[in-house]
Amino acid sequence: MQAIFLLIGTVAATAIVFLPGLTAATTGRDSWLTALLAAIPGLYVAFLVSALGRLFPGQTLVQYLEQILGGPAGKAAGLYYLFFFLQTNAIIVRELGELIATAIMPRTPQVVFAILMVAVCAYGVSQGLEVIARVMELTYPLILALFGLMLILVSGHMQFSRLLPVLEHGIRPVLLASLDPFAWRGEIIVLAMFLPYLARPARGRRNAIIAVLLTSLLLVLDALASTTVFGVTTARLNYPTFELVRLAGIGQFLTRLDAVWIVIWLFGMFGKVGIFLYATVMAATHLFKLREARPLIAPLSILTIALSLSQFANNPQMIAFLTGPFVAYSFSVEWFIPTILLLTARLRGISTPKK
């Protein structure tokens, strides 16, 4: 259960906030279809990670890279993954800062949000993966319950006629807009960095599949709710889900759910930032064959904060990167290289060790 919540948080913590607006800009009222299609690549990544994990039990992705590709190529690929985990985590921290600065604390410098979140996550990583997993196990039921309550409370604003006509502009815009959700859904590649440390690594594939399907359900419902409430104007909203929460309420009795949602969402972001920081630390530890991982936590945390603040001048620049270069970049990490690894391992006759 902890593994499932970790994987749901890896994707949903940011996707549920940013993706509805991004995909609606291209597909309009068909944005829910992109969330549905994105389950396919997510399932494929789950298959790749679990298949490689069975061939190399007890090893993380960076460890078996060298075994499959050889010394120099394996080192280069490991360094590529290290940078991907580091940069992606920096983007996640920046997304956190952008939302809080826009929604509730516009006068507070983003460096404050970055330092506070990364510092807490660094402490969690220093205490071990199980600490992050336990926090996710405790908080994600609350997040899901609040999400369900939000859907019920905004149901009075929904007009399902806004979903029609389906595929008004054909399937091409939906397929093009699906590239961003494809890239975000493939972030479960981080499973390859902690699969050996699960209590039951053999259930990694099942857990990943469950997480992908549940995440897809959440994102489809989120996109449907945004479209039925805001219509085609969803494309002009930076954070449609946050606007939905603002609408939710019962008269004067139950209001300001957005403040509650932000607090609970921060716990979800703790899980996502924490798991990517953990993946970064473990990737560096295994790449450079160090005995201890803890000495790397502080410098990599500082580097994450610096990168989150320096790589984008503003939010539109970050969105342009996420909808442009990041797609091809993430595809190479999440699909292309793992596929090559699995094919190469099979061609070399590497099989699952017998018990």
Side-chain angles (χ1 to χ4, degrees), residues 198-219:
L198 297 181
R200 301 176 183 86
R203 296 187 182 181
R205 176 176 297 180
R206 187 199 69 171
N207 293 337
I209 289 173
I210 293 173
V212 168
L213 294 177
L214 288 177
T215 302
S216 298
L217 177 62
L218 285 174
L219 296 180

PDB file of all heavy atoms in Angstrom, residues 198-219:
ATOM      1  N   LEU A 198      11.703  -2.457  -1.536  1.00  0.00           N
ATOM      2  CA  LEU A 198      10.346  -2.794  -1.107  1.00  0.00           C
ATOM      3  C   LEU A 198      10.359  -4.090  -0.302  1.00  0.00           C
ATOM      4  O   LEU A 198      11.220  -4.951  -0.507  1.00  0.00           O
ATOM      5  CB  LEU A 198       9.432  -2.967  -2.326  1.00  0.00           C
ATOM      6  CG  LEU A 198       9.206  -1.746  -3.221  1.00  0.00           C
ATOM      7  CD1 LEU A 198       8.262  -2.101  -4.364  1.00  0.00           C
ATOM      8  CD2 LEU A 198       8.652  -0.580  -2.426  1.00  0.00           C
ATOM      9  N   ALA A 199       9.383  -4.217   0.587  1.00  0.00           N
ATOM     10  CA  ALA A 199       9.294  -5.450   1.378  1.00  0.00           C
ATOM     11  C   ALA A 199       9.021  -6.649   0.467  1.00  0.00           C
ATOM     12  O   ALA A 199       9.495  -7.756   0.726  1.00  0.00           O
ATOM     13  CB  ALA A 199       8.179  -5.319   2.423  1.00  0.00           C
ATOM     14  N   ARG A 200       8.283  -6.415  -0.623  1.00  0.00           N
ATOM     15  CA  ARG A 200       7.966  -7.486  -1.593  1.00  0.00           C
ATOM     16  C   ARG A 200       8.253  -6.972  -3.002  1.00  0.00           C
ATOM     17  O   ARG A 200       7.331  -6.586  -3.732  1.00  0.00           O
ATOM     18  CB  ARG A 200       6.501  -7.906  -1.462  1.00  0.00           C
ATOM     19  CG  ARG A 200       6.124  -8.425  -0.080  1.00  0.00           C
ATOM     20  CD  ARG A 200       4.628  -8.733  -0.005  1.00  0.00           C
ATOM     21  NE  ARG A 200       4.245  -9.173   1.332  1.00  0.00           N
ATOM     22  CZ  ARG A 200       3.929  -8.358   2.326  1.00  0.00           C
ATOM     23  NH1 ARG A 200       3.971  -7.047   2.139  1.00  0.00           N
ATOM     24  NH2 ARG A 200       3.570  -8.823   3.509  1.00  0.00           N
ATOM     25  N   PRO A 201       9.506  -6.967  -3.419  1.00  0.00           N
ATOM     26  CA  PRO A 201       9.856  -6.470  -4.754  1.00  0.00           C
ATOM     27  C   PRO A 201       9.126  -7.193  -5.878  1.00  0.00           C
ATOM     28  O   PRO A 201       8.865  -6.613  -6.930  1.00  0.00           O
ATOM     29  CB  PRO A 201      11.368  -6.710  -4.838  1.00  0.00           C
ATOM     30  CG  PRO A 201      11.828  -6.770  -3.417  1.00  0.00           C
ATOM     31  CD  PRO A 201      10.703  -7.394  -2.661  1.00  0.00           C
ATOM     32  N   ALA A 202       8.772  -8.463  -5.666  1.00  0.00           N
ATOM     33  CA  ALA A 202       8.091  -9.232  -6.709  1.00  0.00           C
ATOM     34  C   ALA A 202       6.717  -8.643  -7.041  1.00  0.00           C
ATOM     35  O   ALA A 202       6.181  -8.893  -8.128  1.00  0.00           O
ATOM     36  CB  ALA A 202       7.938 -10.689  -6.273  1.00  0.00           C
ATOM     37  N   ARG A 203       6.143  -7.867  -6.113  1.00  0.00           N
ATOM     38  CA  ARG A 203       4.836  -7.258  -6.359  1.00  0.00           C
ATOM     39  C   ARG A 203       4.958  -5.857  -6.951  1.00  0.00           C
ATOM     40  O   ARG A 203       3.964  -5.126  -7.036  1.00  0.00           O
ATOM     41  CB  ARG A 203       4.044  -7.183  -5.053  1.00  0.00           C
ATOM     42  CG  ARG A 203       3.715  -8.550  -4.461  1.00  0.00           C
ATOM     43  CD  ARG A 203       2.779  -8.409  -3.273  1.00  0.00           C
ATOM     44  NE  ARG A 203       2.476  -9.700  -2.664  1.00  0.00           N
ATOM     45  CZ  ARG A 203       1.678  -9.860  -1.628  1.00  0.00           C
ATOM     46  NH1 ARG A 203       1.099  -8.808  -1.074  1.00  0.00           N
ATOM     47  NH2 ARG A 203       1.447 -11.065  -1.124  1.00  0.00           N
ATOM     48  N   GLY A 204       6.163  -5.484  -7.353  1.00  0.00           N
ATOM     49  CA  GLY A 204       6.380  -4.145  -7.900  1.00  0.00           C
ATOM     50  C   GLY A 204       5.525  -3.858  -9.114  1.00  0.00           C
ATOM     51  O   GLY A 204       4.950  -2.769  -9.236  1.00  0.00           O
ATOM     52  N   ARG A 205       5.405  -4.842 -10.026  1.00  0.00           N
ATOM     53  CA  ARG A 205       4.610  -4.612 -11.232  1.00  0.00           C
ATOM     54  C   ARG A 205       3.141  -4.410 -10.886  1.00  0.00           C
ATOM     55  O   ARG A 205       2.498  -3.492 -11.395  1.00  0.00           O
ATOM     56  CB  ARG A 205       4.764  -5.786 -12.205  1.00  0.00           C
ATOM     57  CG  ARG A 205       3.882  -5.669 -13.448  1.00  0.00           C
ATOM     58  CD  ARG A 205       4.133  -6.805 -14.420  1.00  0.00           C
ATOM     59  NE  ARG A 205       5.506  -6.771 -14.929  1.00  0.00           N
ATOM     60  CZ  ARG A 205       5.989  -7.657 -15.788  1.00  0.00           C
ATOM     61  NH1 ARG A 205       5.219  -8.663 -16.209  1.00  0.00           N
ATOM     62  NH2 ARG A 205       7.228  -7.576 -16.224  1.00  0.00           N
ATOM     63  N   ARG A 206       2.612  -5.250 -10.008  1.00  0.00           N
ATOM     64  CA  ARG A 206       1.212  -5.120  -9.626  1.00  0.00           C
ATOM     65  C   ARG A 206       0.946  -3.769  -8.974  1.00  0.00           C
ATOM     66  O   ARG A 206      -0.042  -3.094  -9.278  1.00  0.00           O
ATOM     67  CB  ARG A 206       0.828  -6.249  -8.665  1.00  0.00           C
ATOM     68  CG  ARG A 206      -0.657  -6.309  -8.345  1.00  0.00           C
ATOM     69  CD  ARG A 206      -0.932  -7.096  -7.084  1.00  0.00           C
ATOM     70  NE  ARG A 206      -0.442  -6.381  -5.899  1.00  0.00           N
ATOM     71  CZ  ARG A 206      -0.697  -6.737  -4.645  1.00  0.00           C
ATOM     72  NH1 ARG A 206      -1.408  -7.813  -4.408  1.00  0.00           N
ATOM     73  NH2 ARG A 206      -0.239  -6.032  -3.628  1.00  0.00           N
ATOM     74  N   ASN A 207       1.833  -3.372  -8.068  1.00  0.00           N
ATOM     75  CA  ASN A 207       1.664  -2.090  -7.387  1.00  0.00           C
ATOM     76  C   ASN A 207       1.726  -0.926  -8.367  1.00  0.00           C
ATOM     77  O   ASN A 207       0.958   0.036  -8.266  1.00  0.00           O
ATOM     78  CB  ASN A 207       2.748  -1.918  -6.317  1.00  0.00           C
ATOM     79  CG  ASN A 207       2.600  -2.909  -5.179  1.00  0.00           C
ATOM     80  OD1 ASN A 207       1.515  -3.436  -4.939  1.00  0.00           O
ATOM     81  ND2 ASN A 207       3.693  -3.185  -4.496  1.00  0.00           N
ATOM     82  N   ALA A 208       2.656  -1.008  -9.328  1.00  0.00           N
ATOM     83  CA  ALA A 208       2.799   0.064 -10.318  1.00  0.00           C
ATOM     84  C   ALA A 208       1.559   0.152 -11.202  1.00  0.00           C
ATOM     85  O   ALA A 208       1.092   1.248 -11.521  1.00  0.00           O
ATOM     86  CB  ALA A 208       4.046  -0.170 -11.165  1.00  0.00           C
ATOM     87  N   ILE A 209       1.024  -0.990 -11.601  1.00  0.00           N
ATOM     88  CA  ILE A 209      -0.180  -0.999 -12.447  1.00  0.00           C
ATOM     89  C   ILE A 209      -1.360  -0.392 -11.701  1.00  0.00           C
ATOM     90  O   ILE A 209      -2.113   0.429 -12.238  1.00  0.00           O
ATOM     91  CB  ILE A 209      -0.502  -2.433 -12.909  1.00  0.00           C
ATOM     92  CG1 ILE A 209       0.541  -2.893 -13.935  1.00  0.00           C
ATOM     93  CG2 ILE A 209      -1.899  -2.512 -13.511  1.00  0.00           C
ATOM     94  CD1 ILE A 209       0.415  -4.345 -14.322  1.00  0.00           C
ATOM     95  N   ILE A 210      -1.523  -0.778 -10.438  1.00  0.00           N
ATOM     96  CA  ILE A 210      -2.612  -0.215  -9.628  1.00  0.00           C
ATOM     97  C   ILE A 210      -2.454   1.297  -9.499  1.00  0.00           C
ATOM     98  O   ILE A 210      -3.413   2.061  -9.647  1.00  0.00           O
ATOM     99  CB  ILE A 210      -2.644  -0.865  -8.233  1.00  0.00           C
ATOM    100  CG1 ILE A 210      -3.037  -2.342  -8.343  1.00  0.00           C
ATOM    101  CG2 ILE A 210      -3.625  -0.134  -7.314  1.00  0.00           C
ATOM    102  CD1 ILE A 210      -2.935  -3.109  -7.041  1.00  0.00           C
ATOM    103  N   ALA A 211      -1.218   1.742  -9.251  1.00  0.00           N
ATOM    104  CA  ALA A 211      -0.955   3.176  -9.100  1.00  0.00           C
ATOM    105  C   ALA A 211      -1.257   3.932 -10.392  1.00  0.00           C
ATOM    106  O   ALA A 211      -1.853   5.018 -10.359  1.00  0.00           O
ATOM    107  CB  ALA A 211       0.499   3.396  -8.679  1.00  0.00           C
ATOM    108  N   VAL A 212      -0.848   3.373 -11.530  1.00  0.00           N
ATOM    109  CA  VAL A 212      -1.102   4.031 -12.821  1.00  0.00           C
ATOM    110  C   VAL A 212      -2.598   4.141 -13.085  1.00  0.00           C
ATOM    111  O   VAL A 212      -3.094   5.196 -13.513  1.00  0.00           O
ATOM    112  CB  VAL A 212      -0.407   3.259 -13.963  1.00  0.00           C
ATOM    113  CG1 VAL A 212      -0.891   3.758 -15.327  1.00  0.00           C
ATOM    114  CG2 VAL A 212       1.105   3.409 -13.870  1.00  0.00           C
ATOM    115  N   LEU A 213      -3.345   3.081 -12.825  1.00  0.00           N
ATOM    116  CA  LEU A 213      -4.787   3.091 -13.087  1.00  0.00           C
ATOM    117  C   LEU A 213      -5.516   4.060 -12.151  1.00  0.00           C
ATOM    118  O   LEU A 213      -6.417   4.795 -12.587  1.00  0.00           O
ATOM    119  CB  LEU A 213      -5.363   1.680 -12.942  1.00  0.00           C
ATOM    120  CG  LEU A 213      -4.870   0.661 -13.981  1.00  0.00           C
ATOM    121  CD1 LEU A 213      -5.462  -0.721 -13.696  1.00  0.00           C
ATOM    122  CD2 LEU A 213      -5.209   1.105 -15.392  1.00  0.00           C
ATOM    123  N   LEU A 214      -5.138   4.081 -10.874  1.00  0.00           N
ATOM    124  CA  LEU A 214      -5.768   5.010  -9.936  1.00  0.00           C
ATOM    125  C   LEU A 214      -5.434   6.461 -10.278  1.00  0.00           C
ATOM    126  O   LEU A 214      -6.288   7.344 -10.189  1.00  0.00           O
ATOM    127  CB  LEU A 214      -5.337   4.686  -8.501  1.00  0.00           C
ATOM    128  CG  LEU A 214      -5.922   3.405  -7.898  1.00  0.00           C
ATOM    129  CD1 LEU A 214      -5.344   3.167  -6.502  1.00  0.00           C
ATOM    130  CD2 LEU A 214      -7.447   3.482  -7.825  1.00  0.00           C
ATOM    131  N   THR A 215      -4.177   6.698 -10.664  1.00  0.00           N
ATOM    132  CA  THR A 215      -3.777   8.043 -11.072  1.00  0.00           C
ATOM    133  C   THR A 215      -4.565   8.490 -12.301  1.00  0.00           C
ATOM    134  O   THR A 215      -5.018   9.638 -12.385  1.00  0.00           O
ATOM    135  CB  THR A 215      -2.272   8.084 -11.372  1.00  0.00           C
ATOM    136  OG1 THR A 215      -1.539   7.677 -10.216  1.00  0.00           O
ATOM    137  CG2 THR A 215      -1.843   9.489 -11.757  1.00  0.00           C
ATOM    138  N   SER A 216      -4.734   7.569 -13.255  1.00  0.00           N
ATOM    139  CA  SER A 216      -5.501   7.890 -14.458  1.00  0.00           C
ATOM    140  C   SER A 216      -6.938   8.247 -14.101  1.00  0.00           C
ATOM    141  O   SER A 216      -7.511   9.201 -14.650  1.00  0.00           O
ATOM    142  CB  SER A 216      -5.483   6.698 -15.423  1.00  0.00           C
ATOM    143  OG  SER A 216      -4.164   6.411 -15.835  1.00  0.00           O
ATOM    144  N   LEU A 217      -7.521   7.489 -13.178  1.00  0.00           N
ATOM    145  CA  LEU A 217      -8.886   7.781 -12.747  1.00  0.00           C
ATOM    146  C   LEU A 217      -8.984   9.172 -12.137  1.00  0.00           C
ATOM    147  O   LEU A 217      -9.903   9.948 -12.445  1.00  0.00           O
ATOM    148  CB  LEU A 217      -9.350   6.722 -11.744  1.00  0.00           C
ATOM    149  CG  LEU A 217     -10.743   6.921 -11.138  1.00  0.00           C
ATOM    150  CD1 LEU A 217     -11.813   6.885 -12.225  1.00  0.00           C
ATOM    151  CD2 LEU A 217     -11.024   5.864 -10.069  1.00  0.00           C
ATOM    152  N   LEU A 218      -8.035   9.517 -11.269  1.00  0.00           N
ATOM    153  CA  LEU A 218      -8.031  10.841 -10.639  1.00  0.00           C
ATOM    154  C   LEU A 218      -7.931  11.953 -11.677  1.00  0.00           C
ATOM    155  O   LEU A 218      -8.671  12.950 -11.630  1.00  0.00           O
ATOM    156  CB  LEU A 218      -6.851  10.951  -9.662  1.00  0.00           C
ATOM    157  CG  LEU A 218      -6.961  10.214  -8.334  1.00  0.00           C
ATOM    158  CD1 LEU A 218      -5.648  10.316  -7.580  1.00  0.00           C
ATOM    159  CD2 LEU A 218      -8.097  10.780  -7.502  1.00  0.00           C
ATOM    160  N   LEU A 219      -7.019  11.791 -12.637  1.00  0.00           N
ATOM    161  CA  LEU A 219      -6.800  12.850 -13.619  1.00  0.00           C
ATOM    162  C   LEU A 219      -7.955  12.967 -14.609  1.00  0.00           C
ATOM    163  O   LEU A 219      -8.281  14.068 -15.062  1.00  0.00           O
ATOM    164  CB  LEU A 219      -5.483  12.592 -14.363  1.00  0.00           C
ATOM    165  CG  LEU A 219      -4.230  12.651 -13.490  1.00  0.00           C
ATOM    166  CD1 LEU A 219      -2.977  12.382 -14.311  1.00  0.00           C
ATOM    167  CD2 LEU A 219      -4.119  14.005 -12.792  1.00  0.00           C
TER     168      LEU A 219
END
